[in-house]
Amino acid sequence: MTAYLLQQRANFPLEITLLEAGSRLGGKVVTRNFKTGSVPFEAGAAELYDYSQVGPDPLRELVRELGLITRPMEGRTVVFGDTLLRNDEEISQHLGARTASALKDFTRKARKLISPADYYESDWREDNKDPLARQKFSDLLETVPDEAARKYIRVAIHSDLATEPHQTNAVYGLQNCLMNEPGYMRLYTIDGGIERLVRGLADRIDARVLLNHRVKSVRRAMGNTFEVLARHRGTDVVETFDYVVAALPNNWLPAIDWEGPTLARAMHAHHVHYDYPAHYLRVSLLFQSAFWREQIAESYFMLDSFGGCCVYDETSRGHAGEHGVLGFLIGGEAALSLCNFDDASLFDRMLDALPASLRHGRELFVEGHVQRWVGEVNGLPGGFPAREPDSRHVPEPKEHPDLFVVGDYLFDSTLNGVLDSADVVAEWILEDVADEIAAKGVLAAT
């Protein structure tokens, strides 16, 4: 994204190099196919957020610019034990009027505390002053005067948080509670897989893409340049650049040797400020048919297993022939613990987690896939206290003002946040280069 924005906006020549440790571009954006029938499914990022009803949405505009076709995603069903709760009436019927009333009160409170406008464009200064930013989300939940209502809320948002309520603050918890409320945002996906976004960008950038180049160290070199040392097929490769952008999840930054005491201290401090590791586990199951559709005909539903688990109807994203796919997105400590199990055991646990009315699906199970994302997301995006957006991206501005970071953890742990982050850095670099060119022009003229 950063390379694309730089290339789109620059009015001077650029030489861009992407060093990627793995064999593909895209990071947590992964669209895979089962061996059986080559049926596609999302193994990483599950959806995109559409804020266009509130204000300009750069990601939505980028998706449109790349010519990608989208489809909306909706889901209201929450499974409690073996009971499917699809609406307020069923909540009241099965959980009782007291629980239903407590849930409505909590939603009203959340909407009052965070309006759609606040949700769309938060003010980091005001956020730091907000008492909710200093309150654990678990403590806020304790103010809900009904245990069943508290459990319902935890189940409904657990996989979005990717962490536990006591490990994040009330602001982030409320933001996740409001995701499905009218007027805040809408969810959507891309036909053919979300990875088509990555491929679209890769096809349009004019850059050297060095796959299987694992960066080992970065250091300041002569002439205010940087030397980047990467390992490629057993050989060390050194590249020299004017600017470096580290587009990595926060948990991977310590894996690089940031040479020199000043830079090392700054990168350590940056990592610590945003060190709220959160976890995902993706278990995708292929079935002979979409047997759940008679009971749940939505893009996704929530299970009360694993502390709260989102189950995506992957076949609702596009054509999958006669097959059906359920994608289990498990977050937080449950994901961290379950990552220790082998794939076959995880398939069993997912099948056992289905409500009684859907357990006949075990007989229709064909094939499974597991993707582990330990520490790859953030449980408190932006850290606390939140910093001014520009300064988040330059860990050491005095001696290393040309070294930037880009990541979803700096904003909101979404692809929308990645684009916002890339936009900050791209604009910074372009302005810096333009100023340098202008200065050289003045010197040449004199």
Side-chain angles (χ1 to χ4, degrees):
M1 286 182 173
T2 310
Y4 179 80
L5 294 177
L6 283 168
Q7 183 176 291
Q8 289 289 102
R9 299 172 184 176
N11 57 5
F12 43 78
L14 292 170
E15 294 181 5
I16 301 173
T17 299
L18 273 65
L19 293 108
E20 164 59 49
S23 59
R24 53 172 290 278
L25 295 175
K28 295 189 291 284
V29 183
V30 185
T31 304
R32 294 276 172 83
N33 290 279
F34 286 108
K35 296 176 182 177
T36 304
S38 193
V39 179
F41 64 95
E42 300 295 350
E47 68 262 313
L48 307 176
Y49 295 176
D50 182 357
Y51 298 101
S52 59
Q53 59 184 321
V54 185
D57 187 332
L59 183 60
R60 194 70 160 137
E61 294 168 8
L62 176 61
V63 168
R64 189 179 300 113
E65 185 179 317
L66 296 176
L68 302 173
I69 299 171
T70 64
R71 64 177 64 204
M73 298 177 65
E74 295 181 346
R76 301 290 298 180
T77 301
V78 175
V79 179
F80 252 44
D82 290 326
T83 304
L84 276 58
L85 306 176
R86 303 177 182 87
N87 49 51
D88 293 344
E89 291 74 20
E90 291 184 350
I91 291 173
S92 183
Q93 177 185 349
H94 295 285
L95 301 184
R98 174 182 168 85
T99 297
S101 177
L103 288 171
K104 289 179 181 178
D105 288 346
F106 182 79
T107 300
R108 281 193 291 268
K109 179 180 180 180
R111 293 184 68 98
K112 184 177 180 180
L113 290 169
I114 304 177
S115 69
D118 293 335
Y119 193 102
Y120 172 75
E121 186 92 54
S122 62
D123 185 316
W124 64 276
R125 295 181 185 86
E126 293 302 317
D127 289 347
N128 287 338
K129 297 176 185 177
D130 190 343
L132 292 173
R134 293 176 171 83
Q135 182 182 25
K136 292 181 179 180
F137 183 51
S138 56
D139 293 338
L140 180 64
L141 280 178
E142 286 303 312
T143 66
V144 178
D146 182 83
E147 173 54 33
R150 291 195 293 271
K151 180 180 178 182
Y152 184 97
I153 295 167
R154 288 194 298 267
V155 167
I157 70 166
H158 186 236
S159 61
D160 288 318
L161 287 179
T163 188
E164 305 310 312
H166 66 275
Q167 292 175 328
T168 192
N169 67 16
V171 173
Y172 191 52
L174 288 173
Q175 288 172 342
N176 281 275
C177 289
L178 292 167
M179 281 176 52
N180 290 319
E181 286 298 304
Y184 284 82
M185 72 154 87
R186 293 177 290 236
L187 301 180
Y188 67 102
T189 189
I190 295 173
D191 273 12
I194 298 177
E195 194 169 340
R196 290 194 65 196
L197 173 64
V198 176
R199 295 172 190 158
L201 291 170
D203 288 343
R204 286 165 176 79
I205 60 173
D206 181 17
R208 284 196 309 155
V209 178
L210 304 181
L211 299 177
N212 300 304
H213 280 67
R214 177 175 57 84
V215 173
K216 295 174 61 180
S217 66
V218 176
R219 73 178 187 92
R220 174 64 84 187
M222 297 292 291
N224 287 328
T225 61
F226 289 97
E227 282 189 357
V228 176
L229 172 65
R231 189 75 170 173
H232 176 62
R233 296 178 179 173
T235 302
D236 286 343
V237 178
V238 178
E239 299 272 348
T240 303
F241 303 101
D242 295 308
Y243 297 87
V244 169
V245 181
L248 294 167
N250 188 53
N251 67 308
W252 278 106
L253 290 175
I256 294 175
D257 182 10
W258 306 97
E259 294 190 14
T262 302
L263 182 58
R265 281 194 299 269
M267 294 306 292
H268 174 72
H270 176 90
H271 169 72
V272 168
H273 186 75
Y274 299 100
D275 191 23
Y276 296 90
H279 320 286
Y280 275 133
L281 174 66
R282 286 288 242 142
V283 183
S284 305
L285 305 182
L286 177 70
F287 299 91
Q288 293 173 18
S289 64
F291 61 91
W292 56 89
R293 292 274 177 83
E294 292 183 2
Q295 298 179 51
I296 306 175
E298 298 174 318
S299 305
Y300 57 89
F301 59 92
M302 305 303 300
L303 278 180
D304 63 353
S305 300
F306 316 115
C309 166
C310 187
V311 184
Y312 293 89
D313 180 350
E314 291 290 326
T315 38
S316 70
R317 300 176 187 268
H319 180 70
E322 62 184 14
H323 293 95
V325 180
L326 289 179
F328 293 75
L329 179 63
I330 303 160
E333 291 178 356
L336 185 61
S337 298
L338 288 171
C339 279
N340 291 296
F341 288 83
D342 61 60
D343 291 3
S345 298
L346 291 172
F347 301 154
D348 269 340
R349 284 174 176 262
M350 300 305 115
L351 292 167
D352 285 344
L354 293 172
S357 60
L358 295 178
R359 285 197 191 128
H360 61 285
R362 179 179 285 274
E363 301 169 4
L364 304 174
F365 173 60
V366 177
E367 184 184 338
H369 178 89
V370 176
Q371 191 83 36
R372 297 166 174 84
W373 300 105
V374 176
E376 297 285 321
V377 284
N378 196 282
L380 187 59
F384 185 82
R387 294 172 174 168
E388 184 272 329
D390 280 356
S391 64
R392 299 175 199 180
H393 295 82
V394 188
E396 205 295 290
K398 292 183 179 180
E399 298 179 21
H400 304 81
D402 306 330
L403 190 150
F404 301 89
V405 291
V406 161
D408 55 358
Y409 66 93
L410 296 171
F411 282 99
D412 61 6
S413 287
T414 68
L415 279 172
N416 305 70
V418 178
L419 185 58
D420 288 342
S421 183
D423 179 73
V424 170
V425 171
E427 281 301 300
W428 195 319
I429 292 174
L430 292 172
E431 290 176 11
D432 194 42
V433 175
D435 289 345
E436 187 175 332
I437 292 173
K440 288 180 178 178
V442 170
L443 289 172
T446 57

